[in-house]
Amino acid sequence: FFSSLFVLRAMAMFSIALCLITFALSTSAHTVLVTGATGRSGRLIYSELQQQGVQVRGLVRDPAEAKKVLNCGKCGPAEGIFVGDVTKPDTLVGAVKGVDSVAIAVGTTGRASEEVTKNVEWLGVINQVRALAEANHNQPDLFVALISSMGTTDPNPKPFAGGKVLFWKLQAEAFLSTSGIPMAIVKPCGLVDSLAPNRTLLVGHNDELQVSPPIIRR
């Protein structure tokens, strides 16, 4: 578990890709599914894996958006692009079948309702992990990398630090940690997309870092 502060978003997302690439090279793994692949973080993970020669798939909600940001043609299953919703397990089956690893880059915004946040941030993670395991039960080498957030262990986080969404992210971390599937949980603080020259990467464990404001450059 680690939190990164005051660096490019790309650096934070590269850490996810590095976990997956290392796993792929050390096992028989060969296919990674990035969920939330058209999001600002997901697209960076997807791109980095592609550039490193890893066979990668993307789970998206909008094929038109995938065409704009993932450089796919028809943006269908033939190109590894699958349309799905993490709150609806039956829509995940095709995407996870034959996959060794999943990078979970799906999340909600602070404007989402409590019900939507719970369904995406917690139950959605359960759905993704279960779908991976059930569709590939004969595959001994599975791996999940989850983008969570710093501050999930704070019992009363301020709105600017994540607010109530962190409770549901913590539930997802707990579920994944006890799932029995090898995993990595990356916990960046706030992510922005502007350039970050001369920034320093700070790495901590279990929310030990206390930096204000909790912002890093994507």
Side-chain angles (χ1 to χ4, degrees):
F1 300 73
F2 66 87
S3 300
S4 339
L5 299 109
F6 301 109
V7 294
L8 290 168
R9 173 188 286 267
M11 185 179 294
M13 295 310 105
F14 177 74
S15 63
I16 282 274
L18 184 60
C19 290
L20 294 160
I21 292 166
T22 301
F23 179 75
L25 293 176
S26 63
T27 70
S28 59
H30 63 279
T31 304
V32 177
L33 172 66
V34 179
T35 62
T38 57
R40 289 180 295 171
S41 296
R43 69 182 66 176
L44 294 176
I45 299 171
Y46 182 92
S47 176
E48 183 64 33
L49 291 170
Q50 270 196 330
Q51 290 177 33
Q52 296 298 327
V54 176
Q55 187 170 337
V56 60
R57 296 180 184 178
L59 182 75
V60 305
R61 289 189 299 172
D62 183 359
E65 182 68 13
K67 192 166 187 176
K68 289 192 294 185
V69 302
L70 300 182
N71 298 316
C72 48
K74 294 184 178 180
C75 298
E79 294 177 270
I81 304 299
F82 294 81
V83 176
D85 183 337
V86 299
T87 69
K88 300 175 180 178
D90 58 317
T91 69
L92 307 177
V93 177
V96 297
K97 184 65 176 178
V99 162
D100 308 284
S101 309
V102 174
I104 300 177
V106 177
T108 59
T109 68
R111 298 183 298 275
S113 69
E114 184 82 1
E115 181 179 5
V116 169
T117 300
K118 174 183 176 181
N119 288 340
V120 173
E121 299 284 0
W122 178 36
L123 300 180
V125 171
I126 292 176
N127 291 339
Q128 292 170 80
V129 175
R130 285 181 173 168
L132 173 68
E134 291 173 1
N136 304 285
H137 59 274
N138 293 323
Q139 168 58 265
D141 297 319
L142 299 177
F143 187 81
V144 176
L146 170 67
I147 300 176
S148 183
S149 173
M150 71 177 295
T152 58
T153 58
D154 185 342
N156 189 29
K158 294 179 174 59
F160 74 84
K164 294 181 179 180
V165 67
L166 297 184
F167 173 78
W168 299 113
K169 287 182 178 292
L170 179 61
Q171 307 315 303
E173 291 176 13
F175 169 78
L176 181 57
S177 298
T178 58
S179 68
I181 296 177
M183 55 85 191
I185 300 174
V186 177
K187 303 179 57 162
C189 58
L191 298 171
V192 293
D193 292 308
S194 58
L195 296 177
N198 302 317
R199 295 291 185 176
T200 301
L201 176 65
L202 303 180
V203 179
H205 185 264
N206 287 342
D207 293 323
E208 295 167 347
L209 288 174
Q210 298 295 325
V211 177
S212 183
I215 300 290
I216 72 172
R217 308 299 175 185
R218 283 189 171 95

